[in-house]
Amino acid sequence: MTNQHEYFMAEAVKLSRQSVASGGGPFGAVIVKNAEIIATGTNRVTVFNDPTAHGEIVAIRQACERLASFQLDDCVLYTSTEPCPMCLGAIYWARPKQVYFGSTKEDAARAGFDDAFIYRELDTLYANRKIPFHQMMRESALEVLQEWINKADKVPY
């Protein structure tokens, strides 16, 4: 390997290959801090019957637990494939300093993992989505948000 980025990406790809061999999906991720792998994850959706068990999510959960933090300060995430919308959201909430990925979302779509419809759903009216969304009890929900706003001892994130 010519540099650390290639080494860590190769580790993510190796994990994705191991995941396929063990019955999981073809996705792997590693999280690095100070040039050390602190967490790894592979796609375990069908293994755990958990639609959120994507490689990046598994790795983020492990890294946050290890760091005792809900943020991945000064961490770098390497993932074998461009993150899906769910993982992208989790990555932004976890706030690593960088993300490197291997194959693209278009490559994943050709393998049967097409997330384009999720991106389209984000711009679709609630009632017209594939799974209809219905807003209700907004005032009650807003009261709780106001309680959070007013809470003096909250931990912002």
Side-chain angles (χ1 to χ4, degrees):
M1 295 290 135
T2 60
N3 65 41
Q4 284 188 343
H5 294 304
E6 288 181 5
Y7 172 78
F8 293 127
M9 181 58 73
E11 289 297 307
V13 171
K14 182 171 79 173
L15 285 169
S16 70
R17 184 170 282 117
Q18 291 170 350
S19 181
V20 170
S22 66
F27 307 103
V30 298
I31 297 176
V32 175
K33 185 168 186 166
N34 299 324
E36 174 191 350
I37 294 175
I38 63 165
T40 63
T42 60
N43 183 283
R44 309 315 284 163
V45 169
T46 58
V47 175
F48 295 161
N49 292 318
D50 178 354
T52 69
H54 290 201
E56 298 94 333
I57 301 291
V58 171
I60 288 169
R61 288 174 179 160
Q62 187 182 102
C64 287
E65 184 174 337
R66 179 168 180 192
L67 296 173
S69 174
F70 54 84
Q71 292 187 183
L72 299 177
D73 295 326
D74 297 317
C75 292
V76 179
L77 182 127
Y78 297 84
T79 181
S80 61
T81 301
E82 184 176 356
C84 75
M86 176 183 68
C87 293
L88 186 62
I91 289 165
Y92 273 93
W93 281 114
R95 298 180 181 94
K97 66 180 182 179
Q98 294 181 76
V99 176
Y100 291 84
F101 64 93
S103 57
T104 67
K105 62 186 175 190
E106 291 81 13
D107 298 326
R110 284 190 292 279
F113 299 94
D114 190 356
D115 299 323
F117 80 95
I118 296 173
Y119 289 105
R120 286 191 304 273
E121 288 286 285
L122 293 172
D123 289 327
T124 301
L125 294 174
Y126 299 135
N128 295 335
R129 291 181 176 173
K130 299 290 182 202
I131 300 172
F133 282 61
H134 309 278
Q135 184 180 24
M136 59 185 290
M137 298 182 63
R138 181 172 183 236
E139 293 304 317
S140 295
L142 283 173
E143 290 173 12
V144 179
L145 288 176
Q146 190 60 51
E147 290 171 20
W148 169 258
I149 291 167
N150 296 337
K151 186 173 173 54
D153 62 343
K154 66 183 168 222
V155 177
Y157 60 97

